[in-house]
Amino acid sequence: MELLNDQGLRIDGRRANELRLIRCKLGIYSHTDGSAYLEQGNTKVIAAVYGPREMRISRKSKILHDSANLNCQYSMTTFSTTERRNRNRGDKKTTEMTINLHQALSSVIRLELMARSEINVYVEVLQADGGNYSAAVNAATLALIDAGIPLREYVIACTASLANGNVPMVDISHLEENIGGPTLTVAMLPLSKQIALMEMSQRFHVNFLEDVLKQAQKGCEDIYNILDTAVRLYLTEIGKPNSYGQG
């Protein structure tokens, strides 16, 4: 089954270089230091941040005297996919996602400014429809901003693949992951163009890797523009209590 039809449209009607619809909201929970909800197509994720705060007594032995300790937890709800099974937080896939999430977030958090403290980031996938890790990174970035955690810049993630064997396409859905070829996941810092993480589900032919990487990077930049606009609107709203400052 081909991922692009004769009109150049994908199964869900998008062009090869078109993102899925992104919706997001910051500050969804009042009992956390920061939180966010993000939809990327039909993939839905929530993220919560606690900290920076003094480390628990049970973790005193892990204190880093020159930086904060970052703890991440990635998980999926039982109802997030069509497979109704319990998902152990310690299974191989969840552990791998947690490690990758930590790698991406630690590349932008100014941990050296918060020595002898800890930051806890929890991400839960409510509905999985492809690009789960990317949505998790993007939601976590929003939650960190909501918590006021100092960041060097945003870290944004996106996926890319090949359609019909040679056409790069961005933001891969679950169906496209299943019937298509290998998927490339990139987490990058869109302003400095630095790559925090790059992972392939399978090997790409060297002739196509560069084009697919460029498509993923362009997707990250487009997502950054969307999220940054949402953040600026959110900060404008919370900065105007009781309509003060509105002119």
Side-chain angles (χ1 to χ4, degrees), residues 88-157:
N88 191 334
R89 294 183 188 274
D91 66 17
K92 182 178 179 181
K93 186 63 176 178
T94 299
T95 300
E96 178 185 347
M97 288 288 199
T98 296
I99 292 172
N100 290 346
L101 179 64
H102 184 281
Q103 179 175 334
L105 299 183
S106 60
S107 69
V108 293
I109 299 177
R110 299 290 302 274
L111 296 172
E112 73 279 4
L113 300 180
M114 299 165 284
R116 304 176 64 86
S117 63
E118 69 176 354
I119 301 169
N120 299 301
V121 180
Y122 301 92
V123 178
E124 185 96 3
V125 177
L126 303 178
Q127 183 169 308
D129 188 38
N132 302 339
Y133 171 76
S134 299
V137 169
N138 300 336
T141 296
L142 294 177
L144 288 167
I145 292 172
D146 184 43
I149 303 296
L151 305 178
R152 294 179 177 85
E153 59 174 287
Y154 289 51
V155 59
I156 302 294

Side-chain angles (χ1 to χ4, degrees), residues 209-221:
L209 180 58
E210 183 177 357
D211 290 338
V212 175
L213 176 58
K214 287 181 179 179
Q215 188 71 280
Q217 291 175 305
K218 179 61 166 57
C220 289
E221 293 171 358

